[in-house]
């Protein structure tokens, strides 16, 4: 295909994995007895940051806080659209102190933060996609938060139900390729939600279970370049066929906590 995809420069907020660890288990990927190689996690994370910058994206960082081992997963901190910040309210008590740290960062960067009333975990489950916000529930973010986010932004919010605990956040089962299209793993969704996705995205890229389990859908696209885990080989072939440019970044050490590329990346729109 001779299609030329056009990238859009992004602004990202990230958090170095200085205190990254697996000390509690709040999703099926995590095991309390897991040993984490902090140096490797740091090196993988730095490779991601370099890849973003090499492709023209602006990357900022929040100071990591000791005792918050999941703070590296910046995508859970908020949803930001047109400079308006809808904050987070974490499901797990272990992650709740992250809210304050991120809120402080946003305030210092000149943003007002709207504190949500219902449990919601930022872009992990609330994903801006062109004219919509795609919204996951089932494990973390509640349906009530979908309504809250729609009222706050005034953007049509599409509720999707996640049914497989390995895909506990929407961003583990789906990612946005550009304003018009997405990639996803259908079996992560309830039958009704699958139909909704088929209607909205008849031309979507469909991932296999192997690619999804490799965190292939926890990817970031700038409209042309797709930062994606190298283990998702089938997905990488499909992206290439559709005219996208895969940029493989290995985040295997972060997978031990149930996160990968997108989880480490908060977009500021
Ligand atoms: N250990 C973290 C948790 O379970 C991983 C978060 C991954 N973040 C994401 N956006 N999917 O909360």
């Amino acid at each position: 295909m001779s299609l030329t995809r056009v990238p859009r420069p992004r602004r990202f907020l990230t958090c170095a994995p200085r205190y990254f660890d697996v000390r509690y288990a709040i999703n099926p990927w995590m095991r309390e007895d897991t040993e984490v190689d902090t140096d490797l996690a740091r090196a993988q994370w730095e490779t991601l940051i370099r890849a973003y910058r090499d492709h023209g994206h602006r990357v900022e960082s929040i100071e990591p806080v000791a005792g918050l081992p999941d703070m590296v997963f910046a995508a859970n901190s908020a949803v930001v659209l047109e400079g308006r910040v809808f904050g987070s309210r974490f499901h797990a008590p272990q992650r709740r102190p992250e809210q304050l740290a991120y809120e402080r960062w946003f305030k210092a960067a000149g943003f007002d933060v709207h504190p949500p009333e219902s449990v919601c975990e930022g872009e992990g489950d609330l994903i801006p996609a062109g004219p919509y916000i795609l919204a996951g529930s089932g494990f973390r973010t509640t349906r009530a938060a979908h309504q809250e986010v729609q009222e706050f932004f005034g953007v049509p919010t599409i509720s999707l139900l996640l049914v497989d605990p390995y895909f506990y956040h929407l961003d583990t089962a789906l990612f946005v390729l550009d304003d018009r299209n997405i990639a996803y793993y259908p079996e992560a969704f309830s039958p009704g939600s699958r139909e909704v996705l088929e209607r909205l995205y008849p031309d979507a890229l469909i991932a296999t279970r192997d690619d999804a389990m490799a965190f292939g859908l926890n990817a970031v696209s700038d409209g042309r370049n797709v930062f994606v885990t190298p283990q998702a080989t089938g997905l990488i072939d499909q992206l290439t066929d559709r005219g996208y440019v895969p940029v493989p970044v290995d985040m295997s050490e972060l997978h031990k906590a149930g996160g990968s590329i997108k989880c480490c990346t908060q977009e500021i729109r």
Side-chain angles (χ1 to χ4, degrees), residues 173-214:
L174 176 156
F175 75 97
V176 172
L177 287 163
D178 48 47
D179 283 348
R180 281 200 300 261
N181 209 2
I182 63 167
Y184 69 102
Y185 171 55
E187 279 73 41
F189 297 90
S190 68
S193 297
R194 242 180 269 172
E195 265 186 74
V196 169
L197 289 172
E198 281 163 24
R199 273 176 213 272
L200 289 180
Y201 302 103
D203 200 30
L205 210 148
I206 302 296
T208 62
R209 183 167 186 88
D210 282 352
D211 285 340
M213 289 295 280

Side-chain angles (χ1 to χ4, degrees), residues 93-259:
Q94 294 94 329
R95 294 198 65 185
R96 273 182 213 143
E98 293 179 36
Q99 280 158 218
L100 191 65
Y102 277 101
E103 209 178 287
R104 280 210 196 102
W105 187 91
F106 279 111
K107 284 186 178 153
F111 299 96
D112 283 332
V113 179
H114 172 84
E117 279 169 28
S118 326
V119 167
C120 63
E121 301 199 341
E123 282 195 345
D125 278 320
L126 301 163
I127 308 183
Y132 310 117
I133 293 175
L134 302 178
S137 70
F139 299 99
R140 302 288 183 88
T141 299
T142 57
R143 289 287 307 275
H146 298 178
Q147 187 163 13
E148 249 189 89
V149 87
Q150 176 166 280
E151 284 303 314
F152 182 72
F153 290 116
V155 173
T157 298
I158 313 287
S159 256
L160 301 164
L161 184 60
L162 295 163
V163 295
D164 181 334
Y166 281 102
F167 307 104
Y168 60 95
H169 272 144
L170 185 60
D171 73 358
T172 62
L174 176 156
F175 75 97
V176 172
L177 287 163
D178 48 47
D179 283 348
R180 281 200 300 261
N181 209 2
I182 63 167
Y184 69 102
Y185 171 55
E187 279 73 41
F189 297 90
S190 68
S193 297
R194 242 180 269 172
E195 265 186 74
V196 169
L197 289 172
E198 281 163 24
R199 273 176 213 272
L200 289 180
Y201 302 103
D203 200 30
L205 210 148
I206 302 296
T208 62
R209 183 167 186 88
D210 282 352
D211 285 340
M213 289 295 280
F215 286 96
L217 294 168
N218 199 247
V220 169
S221 169
D222 65 16
R224 171 181 171 81
N225 307 292
V226 180
F227 304 85
V228 59
T229 190
Q231 292 89 349
T233 49
L235 185 67
I236 286 175
D237 289 345
Q238 289 193 66
L239 287 166
T240 308
D241 286 348
R242 302 276 195 115
Y244 295 96
V245 181
V247 180
V249 182
D250 186 8
M251 299 288 269
S252 57
E253 207 52 25
L254 283 302
H255 294 180
K256 293 176 175 175

Side-chain angles (χ1 to χ4, degrees), residues 20-22 24-30 69-70 72-77 90 92 95 98 121-125 140 168-172 215 218 254 256-260 262-265:
F20 173 62
D21 204 348
V22 180
Y24 46 80
I26 54 171
N27 68 55
W29 304 93
M30 302 176 92
D70 273 333
V72 60
F73 300 117
N76 295 125
S77 67
F90 282 90
R95 294 198 65 185
E98 293 179 36
E121 301 199 341
E123 282 195 345
D125 278 320
R140 302 288 183 88
Y168 60 95
H169 272 144
L170 185 60
D171 73 358
T172 62
F215 286 96
N218 199 247
L254 283 302
K256 293 176 175 175
S260 194
K262 170 60 206 170
C263 299
C264 294
T265 313

